[in-house]
Amino acid sequence: MAIVSLGLDLTRIDRMQGALDRRGQRFLDRVFTAGEQAYCERRAVRRATHYAGRFAVKEAVMKVLGTGWRAGVRWVDIEVTRAPGQAPEVVLHGRSAEIAGERGLDRIHITITHDAGIAAAVAVGERAAD
């Protein structure tokens, strides 16, 4: 396997809390999938922390794809999933999945962390060696 690209993002948790307070469900539906919302809402005490982590992943993955918010990439086309007892994974849908295929990405590895009011995520795009 060969590393194709790398993405990193930091998201302030208080800023995410502000977006949740001001924009509510409309914001959640535009940015997060139903599965992501269910995961974060089950963690009510730290829900903004978990939303901020997933937001950071989405930004980091956009950097791996080389698109930013352009090229038809939608927030909900980048989904963070996590099976019980497993590390989080990213699942791409729609245009994001197409772009990953065009770039020859076989897998995107992610990691998320939270500390000192910041959520951070790293994404690494990988493809099979030629």
Side-chain angles (χ1 to χ4, degrees):
M1 293 292 201
I3 293 174
V4 175
S5 54
L6 176 69
L8 166 72
D9 192 68
L10 303 173
T11 301
R12 288 183 20 210
I13 296 167
D14 66 338
R15 190 167 181 206
M16 178 58 63
Q17 183 63 59
L20 295 171
D21 292 344
R22 283 188 313 280
R23 299 183 183 139
Q25 193 62 46
R26 185 172 168 198
F27 169 73
L28 290 175
D29 291 341
R30 185 171 63 89
V31 177
F32 301 100
T33 66
E36 289 170 322
Q37 290 180 45
Y39 178 90
C40 294
E41 293 299 326
R42 285 193 303 269
R43 285 139 186 87
V45 173
R46 296 185 60 201
R47 77 189 267 266
T49 299
H50 293 280
Y51 279 121
R54 275 142 187 78
F55 187 86
V57 167
K58 292 169 187 278
E59 290 269 1
V61 169
M62 287 179 188
K63 291 170 184 170
V64 165
L65 296 175
T67 60
W69 297 330
R70 299 178 308 256
V73 173
R74 298 179 320 139
W75 294 106
V76 293
D77 287 344
I78 302 168
E79 181 176 20
V80 179
T81 63
R82 185 169 181 260
Q86 301 294 315
E89 296 182 341
V90 68
V91 178
L92 300 179
H93 308 282
R95 184 67 183 129
S96 295
E98 292 171 7
I99 292 168
E102 291 166 5
R103 295 202 64 200
L105 296 171
D106 296 313
R107 183 169 181 198
I108 298 176
H109 303 270
I110 60 169
T111 187
I112 309 169
T113 191
H114 330 89
D115 191 27
I118 299 286
V122 174
V124 177
E126 180 181 73
R127 77 169 153 230
D130 298 330

